[in-house]
Amino acid sequence: MDKVRIHEIASELGLKSKDVLDKAKEMGLKVRGVQSTVTFEEAEKLTEYIMSGAPVQSEEKASVTPQKEQPKPKPQPQEEKAKAPKEEKPQEVAAPEAKEEENKPKKQKEETEEKKESLTPPSLKKRRGLVIVKKKRKPEPKVEEEQKEQKKEQSQESEGLELKRKAKKAKKAPAPAKKQEGKKIEILEDRDLSDVSLELEEEVVVLPDFSEELNKVEEEQKQTKKTPSKQVKVARKSFNVEQTGISRSKKKKRKKKETKSEGEVKVVEIPEEVRVYEFAEKAGKSVADVIKVLFNLGMMATKNDFLDKETIEILAEEFGLEIKVKDVLEELDYVSAYDAIEDDYLEERPPVITIMGHVDHGKTSLLDFIRHSKIAEREAGGITQHIGAYMIQKDGKKITFIDTPGHEAFTEMRARGTQATDIAIIVVAADDGVKPQTVEAVNHAKNADIPMIVAVNKIDKPDANPDLVKSQMAELGITPSEWGGEYEFVNVSAKTGEGVDELLDTILLQAELMELKANPKREAKAVVIESSLEKGRGPVATVIVKNGTLKVGDHVVCGVAYGRARAIIDDMGKMVKTRTPSEPGMVVGLDKVPPAGEIMIAVKDAETARMYAERRAEYERQKELSKTTKVTLEELSQLVKEGQLKKLPVIIKADTQGSLEAIKGSLDKLKNEEVKVDVIHSGVGAISESDVTLADASENAVILGFNVRPTGSVKEKAKQLGVTIKTYSIIYDLLDDVKALLSGMLSPVIREESIGQAEVRETFNVPKVGTVAGCMVTDGIIERNAKARVIRDGVVIYDSKISSLKRFKEDVKEVSKGYECGMMIENFNDIKPGDVIEAYKEIEEAATL
Ligand SMILES: Nc1nc2c(ncn2[C@@H]2O[C@H](COP(=O)(O)OP(=O)(O)OP(=O)(O)O)[C@@H](O)[C@H]2O)c(=O)[nH]1
């Protein structure tokens, strides 16, 4: 039995041993000296007696104490004495522990107290010493304790189990008193399923915070099912929970796992244009993993390759991800942002007219007449190369004209030109009638849903036949109003000016019907109809204002170009301060040359303009890269094929964006399966030294300049490096030259020419040599070493060459028609009488496109 000495009790209580001894004697305990021992129970009573001054009632304890404890006999002195020395040790060891426990909250103390009454095995009883000491500070919690114990009576057995466990814990880790919660959790860790019901209640009481945490996680889990975008966060959160060590129970661990597995279905936000390594980064996978999956899907990709939408979807499925594609363009769409703001004020604006038609039908002349200037004469080659815009007045009303060129190479530009157009004038020469480009022009206007007015030109000419034009146009669905159709036809002469006024009136009438309106009171929106790099001015853009007012000093964005409108020049070449709706103007101050058709918007500050332009540039760059680097198996095989293709690498430099695009578009068409033009670089502006360097670096590259010429040093460098620079001022010439170049690169066409035929009359087998055919030449001549086919019953049975040709045992070079000869066919001995041998030549011819 556990014993404790009087002096030990005294030292624990901080009293003199003698005093404690006296008190013990007063209580009637059988003690003689300070070395005398008492049982734990007695020691407890003694302590309480000393502390409270009254002897301890033991009845209530008896009611709680399990049966086994009750019959506990009064200590048998000898036995106790015998065991005493052994039992002292644990007391001493436990002493510091006891001190710590003094700080423990009430509940803990109660629990510890309960231990005394439980069916404690001997090993645990040892620790009673520790409990006794504690008593010095808690005589008062008795009542509470009683109530608690009464409540717990029904489940004494399991309580006992729990207490044991707690006691064990206490031994293992004398946790600081503050860590009550922590202690509870540790108990939970040991819990087995049998004691779940009992502890669950306690857990809720003791760990309210944790429950809350759990609830949160659970709630979030629920939410994530609805809103997948939060799944990643949840997974991270659960990770944090784990890290903080709040969750230790099995139950909680289970929860955690669930959260993790759900967390794997991540929502990954990616831009539309994403490279393999970027995707891997966003998806939290290794690049190798992504490439491997792609490979398994039959796609050869490198980490820098871009992924298309479909591939991203497949990858997402493979990796169990949910992909949200960010529409980057949406952010960059400053035009939509502009259009989204409704105009609260509108006023009439002039119509913008595009003149279209076949080459030489008089577009420029007509516009020239209208403007009373001589534009046509100034143009190189007599072709209108650029888009220009001009404004005229008729009876105080303004009309803006865009002069689109007629050459088919400008199709692209024309298509863009229509963007700014309200009405299209289709010019048809009365002496020439409807031509391919007339049809093209009509289709452009139709596609753009633009009203058309037909100007039947050259009416002054004696062979003019306007009625023929009308009927031809009617066949295209452009029926004149006088024939019951909806199109106005005006007979004009750009030479005499006849009908021009009527044409302008018709335009104004049409415009009136269209009720063209704009809001000049807001920031400008304009369309670029022409752009170029001008000496001394830098990039310039000819625009037509579509809405708002463009002012000098405005910060503008125009696709990848941006800047400040440093100056605005009108169609007469004058500097102006503003441009209102439908007015054309040349804007100076952009950082780059914007392409025709681009929309220019005035924004609030330089920063906004720059932001839009830079983001746009990045987007374009990525898109461009995406085109060149994306490789699938299919494309790979295509690339292999193309490796055998002959390419003509060219660098194109042109004076304007419009011409550049026209040239590029036309060159693109100049290809067949074998050869193609590979534009390795193109740009607006002069041919530079870096262009020459680039051409030098690329095998066989040539530089094509349109309306630009190399300067001295560039010329010199090209000469040094042997780089060809060709310059042109007429597009046809450029295209013709390229055509010729490409033709030279084509594989020669191999043509066959039959040179003669011979009939086999008899055959001779010459040992070790083979079969010799005795023949009669029936047509042309047979030449030694000529290619030859053996034809049997009209079918070619062998194709080889004549290896030996003899006449009367003499080797001869050729045998003509009507003569007999002996011949051998290379590697062929199965020749028979009646076979025909046809000798032929292969002739190589240069191919043309
Ligand atoms: N007699 C006569 N000649 C005209 C008339 N209009 C144009 N021409 C002549 O036709 C030729 C072509 O005229 P352009 O104005 O250059 O024709 P275009 O359609 O602008 O030609 P491209 O710019 O090459 O597409 C010129 O020689 C003009 O002088 C006209 O009404 N009457």
Side-chain angles (χ1 to χ4, degrees), residues 749-792:
V749 174
I750 295 169
R751 198 166 55 81
E752 254 182 36
E753 200 181 78
S754 175
I755 51 171
Q757 280 191 357
E759 219 178 273
V760 180
R761 296 274 157 90
E762 51 190 319
T763 58
F764 315 94
N765 265 324
V766 184
K768 290 181 189 168
V769 175
T771 309
V772 176
C775 310
M776 165 64 79
V777 179
T778 53
D779 192 21
I781 51 167
I782 300 291
E783 287 176 6
R784 195 176 56 187
N785 293 331
K787 289 196 158 240
R789 297 187 184 96
V790 181
I791 302 162
R792 189 171 293 163

Side-chain angles (χ1 to χ4, degrees), residues 359-365 382 384 406 457-458 460 493-495:
V359 186
D360 284 349
H361 276 202
K363 299 177 294 293
T364 312
S365 300
T384 308
N457 194 30
K458 304 194 186 181
D460 61 288
S493 168
K495 196 175 175 186

Side-chain angles (χ1 to χ4, degrees), residues 302-350:
T302 68
K303 67 176 200 163
N304 290 320
D305 287 345
F306 281 83
L307 297 165
D308 60 23
K309 217 175 146 198
E310 214 173 84
T311 314
I312 291 167
E313 273 170 23
I314 297 168
L315 281 174
E317 210 166 280
E318 287 285 322
F319 290 128
L321 302 169
E322 200 171 304
I323 299 290
K324 233 173 118 186
V325 178
K326 264 197 294 184
D327 189 355
V328 189
L329 257 189
E330 214 172 89
E331 284 172 28
L332 310 174
D333 199 350
Y334 57 87
V335 180
S336 292
Y338 180 96
D339 291 344
I341 302 164
E342 242 178 78
D343 289 299
D344 45 13
Y345 172 84
L346 287 170
E347 64 180 53
E348 206 182 312
R349 66 167 177 86

